[in-house]
Amino acid sequence: MDQRTLRALEFDKVVAMLTAHASFSAGSALCARLEPLDDLESAQAAQAETAEALACLRLSQSPPFGGVTDVREAAQRAHIGVMLDPHDLLQVADLIGGSRKIKKFLGDLSPDYPVLRGLGSQIVVAADVEKRVRDAISDSAEIRDDASPELLRIRRARRIAQSRIRDRLEGLIRSSEALRFLQEPIITVRNGRFVVPVKAEFKSAVPGIVHDQSHSGATLFIEPMASVEANNEVRRLELEERDEIERILLRLSAIVGASRDDIALTVKMIARVDFAFAKARLSAAMNGVEPRLGDDFKIDVRQARHPLLKGDVVPVDVRLGQDFDTLVITGPNTGGKTVTLKTTGLLTLMGQAGLHVPASSASRLSVFNQVFCDIGDEQSIEQSLSTFSSHMRNIVRIVNEAGEGSLVLLDEIGAGTDPEEGSRLAMSLLEHLHAAGCKTVATTHYSELKSFAYLTDRVENASVEFDVESLRPTFKLSIGLPGRSNAFEIASRLGLDRRIIDRARAMLSDEHLQVEHLIGEIQASKFQADEEKRKAFLTSLKAQELESEYDSRLRQLKAREKEILDRARQESSSLVARVRAECDEALRKVRSAASNPRLYQSLQGEVRDVLRRARAEADIPEEPQRPRDAVEPGGLVPGMMVHVNSLRQDGEVLAPPDQNGNVQLRVGIIRTQVHVSDLSPSDTGDKAQAREQVTRLMSEKAQTASPELMLLGLTSEEAVAALDKYLDDAVLGGLKQVRIVHGKGTGVLRKAVQEALKTSRNVVSFRLGSPAEGGDGVTIATLTG
């Protein structure tokens, strides 16, 4: 990317903001090297990386970078045989420990974070290296005694030797004679040797070696001859200790050096992770969004704010490449033309660099091959050249290098020379860039460029608005509307004599007046269009409110409907369960009273009462009884079928009526006596037809009945209803055993199924399935034959 453009658009300042959000030195270095990318796929991948990290931050999740440092240089030194000191080795161990935590953090993320998880998968945790270092070096960078068996032996021997010296010197300083020649009764160390402080005048009283004296010269630090050999032994052991520590450090350094590549890769991946989260923190700090990126060289940024401006920034909407390829912005000084230009360019660079942009989420950017700019502020002008010459040198370079796929930003194009020539040169430059396929945004004060933009295909005017009443710019950009000079209006409001203003207006060229008139017409048309747009928006808003109200009421009605249906289901389920229990109890009594006709009839009546009460509670009308003809007593013969009106069942005549009119009957398995007045002819024809229908139904069920019922996904109520119908069909189909699939889950559905099987008249027994049959997720039921 063009380096002059990066400086002119202040991309380096955005990079500095990004670097301040890094947590890791290698990540900070990666931030400092950030540049825009020039291919769509890489830019989109960089944006996805930022978006994932921002999503983590919004969930208050961030990788633990604490204690992690860049140890690649130390690992490289170890690789070439240099001995690392304990602090270097501890930093390597800290990096490995930190990498383990970061890798776990990234690995624990959900699959919604593929980029971050991918970075984590590349982190190599050299756990053995960390363990070897920590086993040998303490957190205070001291070599541990057990770093090697030899070091442990040497230090034990040294401590024993030092203890012996102390014992000897303790005996010396505690003697009564020592109080006379010792400055203090203490043992101290000088030059690594144990000594005692002796008064200078009693030097001869303590034979030995003088190692030091006090500043005043009154005290000599003497190593008594009696401890010289022992001190020599301590010194020898210290030298052995030093050599052994050096061997330990060399061994650990070699281990680190052998893992140089893994350590370098780990540092690189952690830097990438830190870089991603630095971009996310910058996005959060400037309230940024992920822009949609394309490769069609179109820009549509909405509510865009320059990331370096502070305070109450007026956002701008800029589009380019859809209806037009060149945008000419006019308007007063300090009105925001240059800020609009810089905002467009800087947000484009940020988008291509994988940074979020401070704009609306609907914003769209493109990946350009190159971005060129010529900014008209003095900071960008070389001091040794004139303003015009400096601009021309930069523009010549742009013209030579820019082409299709380039974004060109020109501030005050053609300025710094004769206005007539400058305006013509500006139009020629814009024509050339337009023909070369560039996307161009230019700012100007030249009125001629307004006409040029209006009359040239795919070139559009834009202006920064100015409030004549307050004499202040609004900083709002209006695309499609050229800017007016407003010089006469401003002069009038500031009190300039009206005659002078009128004279000045009369001196304007016809072409200028035509342009101003044209601008006035465009402004009036725009005002009318804006008003229509406002009305349409209000109408749309009202329609949305009505739609929202309708949706709300519809949801309430559906919720009420569901509540009523749920309550009805609960009540009906409760009623069915209670009636079923009462009927089962009554039928149990009936079966036990099969040999007692009177009790049988009484219990049959009890069942009818239960059904009658159930019908009343469920608000179901009683089925009207069809009137039946009476039977002739003389026509009753054994084997004849008659209908018992009180029982609503058919029975077989066993004997003719007795003298009291009572007839012996068999009703089902019960022998009973019924008065002839309670009998009527049996519907034998209806019975035959019913038997024929039943036979046909059983034949159909035998062909269609499935040995398996699938209940997965149903509620308990739905499953019980489906199971009840299925069991009837299965029995009619002649199935002896069926498989009911309810799944394991929480066990609620399985429990409901088995409770229903317990009370079903069609089921002989049931059990859970074997492992081969489906285990606890299946119930096998044996049906009645």
Side-chain angles (χ1 to χ4, degrees), residues 548-785:
S548 177
E549 182 180 357
Y550 168 77
D551 288 342
S552 176
R553 291 186 178 183
L554 182 61
R555 284 194 299 270
Q556 293 175 359
L557 288 173
K558 287 184 177 180
R560 178 60 178 165
E561 179 184 14
K562 183 177 182 302
E563 179 184 347
I564 293 172
L565 289 175
D566 288 344
R567 185 165 63 247
R569 289 192 189 100
Q570 293 175 358
E571 292 176 354
S572 63
S573 296
S574 175
L575 176 61
V576 167
R578 183 169 57 78
V579 170
R580 179 180 290 174
E582 292 181 6
C583 288
D584 286 346
E585 176 62 21
L587 290 174
R588 185 189 62 78
K589 295 178 180 179
V590 167
R591 295 189 186 99
S592 64
S595 60
N596 189 333
R598 292 177 179 270
L599 182 56
Y600 179 82
Q601 293 180 13
S602 172
L603 292 174
Q604 288 279 19
E606 183 178 335
V607 171
R608 286 195 298 273
D609 290 341
V610 170
L611 294 175
R612 191 180 302 109
R613 289 198 306 274
R615 284 179 176 275
E617 290 185 34
D619 198 21
I620 300 174
E622 287 283 346
E623 296 180 4
Q625 293 190 20
R626 186 166 51 122
R628 292 179 174 272
D629 298 329
V631 296
E632 292 295 331
L636 294 175
V637 296
M640 180 180 177
M641 295 299 295
V642 293
H643 184 76
V644 183
N645 297 328
S646 60
L647 299 179
R648 295 188 181 182
Q649 294 188 35
D650 286 351
E652 180 184 358
V653 177
L654 299 179
D658 60 14
Q659 59 183 0
N660 296 322
N662 294 321
V663 182
Q664 296 290 327
L665 299 174
R666 178 185 290 114
V667 180
I669 61 171
I670 305 297
R671 291 174 63 91
T672 185
Q673 182 174 284
V674 180
H675 194 270
V676 69
S677 62
D678 192 23
L679 300 179
S680 60
S682 174
D683 298 328
T684 54
D686 293 342
K687 293 289 184 178
Q689 183 179 4
R691 281 195 297 272
E692 181 181 351
Q693 291 177 348
V694 169
T695 301
R696 184 171 61 254
L697 179 62
M698 292 179 67
S699 176
E700 292 175 357
K701 293 300 181 180
Q703 295 176 5
T704 61
S706 171
E708 179 179 280
L709 174 64
M710 181 65 67
L711 298 177
L712 294 178
L714 301 181
T715 64
S716 296
E717 291 80 4
E718 293 170 341
V720 169
L723 176 62
D724 191 42
K725 181 179 183 305
Y726 170 74
L727 292 175
D728 288 339
D729 291 346
V731 170
L732 288 173
L735 297 179
K736 299 300 182 182
Q737 182 173 284
V738 292
R739 182 172 182 264
I740 304 164
V741 181
H742 44 66
K744 298 180 181 179
T746 60
V748 173
L749 189 56
R750 178 179 62 213
K751 182 178 179 182
V753 166
Q754 294 187 351
E755 287 296 328
L757 292 175
K758 288 180 183 178
T759 58
S760 175
R761 64 185 182 279
N762 295 318
V763 178
V764 176
S765 62
F766 62 87
R767 59 177 175 82
L768 287 175
S770 65
E773 293 170 320
D776 293 350
V778 170
T779 295
I780 306 299
T782 301
L783 307 182
T784 56

Side-chain angles (χ1 to χ4, degrees), residues 355-421:
L355 298 177
H356 287 181
V357 296
S360 162
S361 59
S363 296
R364 185 185 187 280
L365 295 168
S366 282
V367 176
F368 289 90
N369 301 330
Q370 275 287 6
V371 177
F372 297 99
C373 76
D374 181 66
I375 301 296
D377 54 25
E378 293 184 359
Q379 289 81 352
S380 67
I381 300 174
E382 301 173 17
Q383 298 300 316
S384 61
L385 297 173
S386 70
T387 299
F388 181 74
S389 298
S390 175
H391 279 305
M392 277 302 102
R393 174 168 289 185
N394 192 28
I395 288 174
V396 167
R397 182 180 62 85
I398 293 173
V399 168
N400 290 335
E401 297 180 16
E404 187 173 1
S406 296
L407 175 63
V408 180
L409 309 170
L410 302 174
D411 190 31
E412 298 297 346
I413 183 172
T417 187
D418 177 76
E420 182 75 16
E421 294 180 357

Side-chain angles (χ1 to χ4, degrees), residues 239-289:
L239 293 175
E240 288 186 12
E241 179 184 16
R242 182 197 64 189
D243 293 342
E244 180 61 21
I245 288 175
E246 185 174 318
R247 282 191 291 272
I248 292 170
L249 293 178
L250 282 171
R251 184 173 69 251
L252 293 175
S253 299
I255 294 172
V256 170
S259 299
R260 177 199 59 176
D261 293 342
D262 288 345
I263 290 173
L265 178 60
T266 293
V267 170
K268 180 181 177 181
M269 290 301 105
I270 293 177
R272 285 281 306 280
V273 174
D274 185 37
F275 173 58
F277 277 87
K279 292 190 293 179
R281 294 187 188 97
L282 176 62
S283 175
M286 63 184 182
N287 196 24
V289 299

Side-chain angles (χ1 to χ4, degrees), residues 39-46 367:
D39 70 281
L40 178 62
E41 185 177 351
S42 298
Q44 287 176 332
V367 176

